[in-house]
Amino acid sequence: MRRHLGKVMAGGAIAVAGTALMVAVTLPGTAGADENADGRPGQSQGDNAGQSRQGDPSRQGEQGQADDGEAGAGQDDGQRQGPADADVPPPAEIQAAPTEGEKGIGSDPLTDDELKQAERLASAGDLRRAARDVEGDRGPELLYTNLQEPDPNAPAGQANRMAEVVFYDYDQEATVTKTVDLGSGKVLDTVTTRGAQPPPSQGELAEAARLLIAHPLGRDLKKDFRHATGKNLTEPGQAELSGMIFRKDTTLKVPAVLKDCGKNRCLSVVFKVKNGPWIDTRANIVDLSARTVGRLG
C-alpha cells in the first residue's frame, strides 16, 4: 500500500510539474513570473532579491546606492528626452533671390544686362544686314552666349570680362563666333567657319519641329501624340523638344533630300509629351537650310 501510494503521489507530482511547465510556456513572461501555478499572486524574483538584500545587513548600503543610482538615471533620462516637440525644426523660410547687378564679377555667370550687351554688339554691322536666321529673316541665328575664361596672365582685378557669342548664318552656311570685351564694349575677334555644326538652339528645334509636323512624314508623329494626349498636334509648343545635329555619313544610306547634311544644317528632333512619354522621331531628319524633311531607311 505504501509503495502503491508513493507511486500515485509521484505520478501526481509529475503531472503538476508538467502543468506548471505548460503554463510557463504558454503564458506571457510577466504573468508566469507574478502568479503561482494556482493563480494566486506571488513574489517576483525582484521581490525575493530585495528580501535577500534586506536580510543581509552588509548589503543594505549597496541596495540604497543602487536605488539612488537608478532614480538618478531616470531623472537624467527625463531631462534628456524633454517634450516631444523639442526636436521639431522651425518652419522653413523662402528667401527672395538677391538682386542681380548689371555686371558680374570674376567668373560669375553673365548677367541679363551683360548678355544683352554682348549679343547687341556682336550682331551689329554687316552681320545683321547680310546674314539670315533659321526662318530666313534678316540677321544671324543666335545659338548661345558664354562667358569666356579670363586670361590667366592678366593682373588680378584688371582683366575685363569677355563674352563669346556664337551665331549661325543660313545665307553663308557658316558659324560666326565673336569675342566681346564687356568692359570696353568692343568686338575683339571674329571667326567664321564652314562645316562646323554647333549644337542647335531652341529656335532651330522649334522650326525643325514645325517643318516635321507639316510634312507627310509627320503623320505617325501626330498619330502617336493624339494617342497619348487625345489632342491634335499642330504646333511645336505643345511638346517638349530636344535634338541633335545630323551629318551624312559615307557608310549610311540616306535619301536624296538629305545628301547635303553636314554642309547644310540638319537636325534630328525628338518630341516628348509634356508630363508624358517620348515619341521616337529620330529617323526623321530635317534639313533647315533646304527646308526639307527626309527619313532614314
Side-chain angles (χ1 to χ4, degrees), residues 98-167:
T99 303
E100 185 180 69
E102 295 182 2
K103 297 181 179 181
I105 300 174
S107 58
D108 290 347
L110 293 170
T111 65
D112 291 342
D113 288 341
E114 287 177 324
L115 285 170
K116 293 177 182 178
Q117 177 192 13
E119 292 162 7
R120 175 177 55 80
L121 293 171
S123 61
D126 293 341
L127 186 63
R128 175 177 292 277
R129 291 189 294 269
R132 293 293 180 268
D133 65 13
V134 67
E135 297 180 8
D137 296 332
R138 178 177 295 180
E141 179 71 21
L142 174 64
L143 301 184
Y144 53 83
T145 303
N146 290 330
L147 176 70
Q148 191 176 75
E149 291 294 329
D151 185 359
N153 298 321
Q158 296 185 14
N160 289 335
R161 282 159 61 84
M162 317 282 279
E164 185 179 75
V165 188
V166 181
F167 301 97

Side-chain angles (χ1 to χ4, degrees), residues 19 48 116 184 226 297:
T19 302
N48 294 335
K116 293 177 182 178
S184 65
R226 182 170 180 78

Side-chain angles (χ1 to χ4, degrees), residues 195-246:
Q197 296 289 347
S201 66
Q202 285 299 313
E204 289 177 314
L205 288 173
E207 186 63 18
R210 188 175 293 108
L211 292 172
L212 178 57
I213 291 171
H215 197 275
L217 289 176
R219 180 177 57 254
D220 291 339
L221 163 65
K222 291 184 284 188
K223 180 179 178 181
D224 290 342
F225 186 88
R226 182 170 180 78
H227 178 75
T229 65
K231 300 178 181 180
N232 293 326
L233 177 63
T234 58
E235 58 183 21
Q238 293 176 258
E240 297 176 6
L241 305 175
S242 64
M244 63 192 73
I245 296 295
F246 175 80

Side-chain angles (χ1 to χ4, degrees), residues 168-179:
Y168 193 83
D169 179 4
Y170 278 87
D171 182 65
Q172 298 295 321
E173 296 298 338
T175 302
V176 180
T177 303
K178 295 202 174 190
T179 302

Side-chain angles (χ1 to χ4, degrees), residues 33-55:
D34 294 337
E35 293 182 0
N36 294 326
D38 58 359
R40 293 181 292 107
Q43 293 177 336
S44 66
Q45 295 179 358
D47 293 338
N48 294 335
Q51 291 177 358
S52 300
R53 289 195 294 270
Q54 291 175 3

